[in-house]
């Protein structure tokens, strides 16, 4: 099957899922474990203070989240992590140099993955499920290659392989959005995470309302963070000979989620991941940009929970 045919079928399949009756997947969570109230904790990782939040039901295998370009703990959607926390432990953190975590932000995915592994080891975790979004999905891939014994299942959202298509730089349209002035900085996400349609924009504003609900916000990023993260992303995206060979080494069950209109990481990269990972499933969400999980939290949670309970 050709890639464009595969992508079309994936979109159609997900559009069908969107027509299913809604269930109460986003359940109410007791206030003591809600994302907006869970306290920030700190741990020394190789002598550097890392900030993290850890909450939820302490049974089974915890889920660790690795975040997107400029993303902090405040940007994880409470609708998603609160729902997941009903049945398992959720761990979100700021990697080195980001927001509340100290140190200098690395400029390679390999170094970021090494820091993430050191953080997980410091918490004393021996087995996790790993949830990587955007650059966090690149970190998650590298971490799984480096430490396969640590990862049980892998979720990759809005991300791509090393040397993926149009991943060595952003388009002129994306750069223009980064330079655009917004009434509030987080409104950039309405353009980069959601499509221009009324339905998608409505979902975008709902997401912003949810993440703005936490009263004690993290500090602003330093000027060093974005250049370092961009260097890491574009180096990862540079095409090299046998760029995709490493994916054969990721044998964990993997769920790939992508938006069909992703302007940050084109959706064809999700297809490449699916074609090269030995044990992967792919879902393409319709009328969705870079953050399909934030646009369709209920549908996304249904897929995650099915994936997590499967063999």
């Amino acid at each position: 099957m050709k890639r464009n045919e595969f992508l079309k079928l994936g979109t159609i399949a997900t559009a069908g899922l969107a027509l299913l009756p809604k269930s109460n997947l986003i359940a109410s969570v007791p206030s003591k474990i809600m994302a907006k109230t869970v306290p920030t904790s700190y741990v020394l990782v190789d002598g550097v203070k890392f900030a993290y939040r850890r909450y939820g039901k302490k049974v089974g295998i915890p889920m660790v989240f690795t975040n997107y370009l400029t993303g902090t703990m405040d940007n994880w959607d409470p609708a998603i992590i609160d729902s997941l926390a009903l049945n398992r432990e959720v761990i979100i953190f700021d990697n080195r140099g980001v927001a509340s975590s100290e140190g200098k932000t690395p400029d390679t995915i390999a170094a970021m993955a090494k820091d993430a592994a050191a953080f997980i080891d410091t918490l004393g975790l021996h087995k996790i499920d790993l949830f990587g979004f955007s650059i966090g999905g690149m970190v998650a891939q590298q971490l799984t290659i480096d430490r396969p014994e640590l990862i049980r299942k892998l979720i990759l959202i809005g991300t791509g392989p090393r040397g993926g298509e149009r991943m060595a730089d952003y388009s002129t349209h994306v750069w223009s959005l980064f330079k655009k002035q917004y009434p509030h900085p987080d409104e950039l996400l309405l353009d980069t995470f959601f499509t221009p349609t009324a339905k998608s924009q409505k979902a975008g504003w709902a997401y912003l309302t949810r993440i703005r609900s936490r009263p004690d916000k993290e500090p602003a990023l330093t000027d060093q963070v974005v250049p370092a993260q961009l260097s890491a992303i574009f180096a990862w995206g540079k095409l090299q000979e046998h760029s995709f060979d490493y994916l054969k080494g990721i044998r964990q069950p993997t769920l790939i989620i992508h938006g069909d209109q992703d302007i940050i990481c084109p959706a064809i990269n999700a297809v490449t991941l699916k074609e090269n990972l030995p044990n992967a499933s792919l879902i393409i969400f319709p009328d969705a940009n870079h953050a399909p999980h934030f646009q369709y939290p209920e549908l996304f949670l249904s897929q995650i929970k099915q994936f997590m309970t499967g063999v």
Side-chain angles (χ1 to χ4, degrees), residues 7 48 83 100 125 176 195 200 211 218 223 267-268 277 285 311:
L7 192 60
V48 176
S83 183
S100 297
L125 304 177
S176 71
T195 73
S200 186
I211 64 171
E218 290 213 84
D223 292 340
I268 194 62
L277 287 165
F285 282 77
V311 177

Side-chain angles (χ1 to χ4, degrees), residues 193-216:
F193 279 12
F194 301 88
T195 73
T197 68
K199 180 179 178 181
S200 186
Q201 287 296 297
K202 181 179 178 180
W205 280 109
Y207 163 70
L208 290 186
T209 297
R210 294 193 296 270
I211 64 171
R212 288 171 175 177
S213 65
R214 186 176 174 97
D216 54 326

Side-chain angles (χ1 to χ4, degrees), residues 174-229:
V174 170
W175 283 117
S176 71
L177 295 176
F178 287 165
K179 296 174 182 178
K180 183 178 172 181
Q181 296 297 312
Y182 292 88
H184 192 283
D186 64 4
E187 291 176 21
L188 165 67
L189 302 180
L190 295 172
D191 287 335
T192 55
F193 279 12
F194 301 88
T195 73
T197 68
K199 180 179 178 181
S200 186
Q201 287 296 297
K202 181 179 178 180
W205 280 109
Y207 163 70
L208 290 186
T209 297
R210 294 193 296 270
I211 64 171
R212 288 171 175 177
S213 65
R214 186 176 174 97
D216 54 326
K217 298 296 184 183
E218 290 213 84
L221 302 180
T222 67
D223 292 340
Q224 186 264 333
V225 174
V226 174
Q229 291 185 338

Side-chain angles (χ1 to χ4, degrees), residues 46 142 159 227 259 273:
D46 296 332
Q142 186 65 57
T159 195
L273 288 173

Side-chain angles (χ1 to χ4, degrees), residues 228-273:
Q229 291 185 338
L230 288 174
S231 292
I233 290 170
F234 297 150
W236 176 272
K238 185 177 180 180
L239 181 63
Q240 299 180 17
E241 190 176 6
H242 307 299
S243 280
F244 307 147
D245 286 0
Y246 76 99
L247 292 169
K248 301 300 182 185
I250 298 178
R251 300 191 174 276
Q252 287 82 351
T254 303
L255 179 61
I256 306 161
I257 302 283
H258 221 93
D260 65 345
Q261 303 298 318
D262 194 331
I263 62 173
I264 302 296
C265 181
I268 194 62
N269 291 295
V271 178
T272 301
L273 288 173

Side-chain angles (χ1 to χ4, degrees), residues 66-223:
T66 50
N67 218 339
Y68 68 90
L69 169 71
T70 74
T72 74
M73 291 186 289
D74 291 341
N75 296 111
W76 289 113
D77 191 342
I80 292 173
I81 59 176
D82 281 348
S83 183
L84 291 171
L86 288 171
N87 299 302
R88 65 185 309 154
E89 195 170 24
V90 164
I91 301 172
I92 57 177
F93 73 106
D94 293 327
N95 215 334
R96 184 187 298 262
V98 175
S100 297
S101 288
E102 297 178 346
K104 182 179 179 181
T105 303
D107 61 2
T108 68
I109 298 299
M112 292 177 184
K114 182 178 179 181
D115 283 340
F119 165 75
I120 292 165
D121 289 341
T122 301
L123 293 187
L125 304 177
H126 302 292
K127 185 72 71 175
I128 65 169
D129 290 328
L130 186 57
F131 183 121
F133 172 33
S134 194
I135 185 177
M138 302 171 195
V139 173
Q141 292 174 60
Q142 186 65 57
L143 178 53
T144 305
I145 287 291
D146 294 344
R147 298 286 301 278
E149 80 289 349
L150 182 62
I151 313 303
R152 183 187 71 139
K153 291 190 175 184
L154 182 63
I155 300 167
L156 300 175
I157 303 175
T159 195
R162 294 176 189 163
E165 292 189 31
R166 288 171 284 163
M167 287 181 60
D169 199 351
Y170 292 137
S171 68
T172 54
H173 174 55
V174 170
W175 283 117
S176 71
L177 295 176
F178 287 165
K179 296 174 182 178
K180 183 178 172 181
Q181 296 297 312
Y182 292 88
H184 192 283
D186 64 4
E187 291 176 21
L188 165 67
L189 302 180
L190 295 172
D191 287 335
T192 55
F193 279 12
F194 301 88
T195 73
T197 68
K199 180 179 178 181
S200 186
Q201 287 296 297
K202 181 179 178 180
W205 280 109
Y207 163 70
L208 290 186
T209 297
R210 294 193 296 270
I211 64 171
R212 288 171 175 177
S213 65
R214 186 176 174 97
D216 54 326
K217 298 296 184 183
E218 290 213 84
L221 302 180
T222 67
D223 292 340

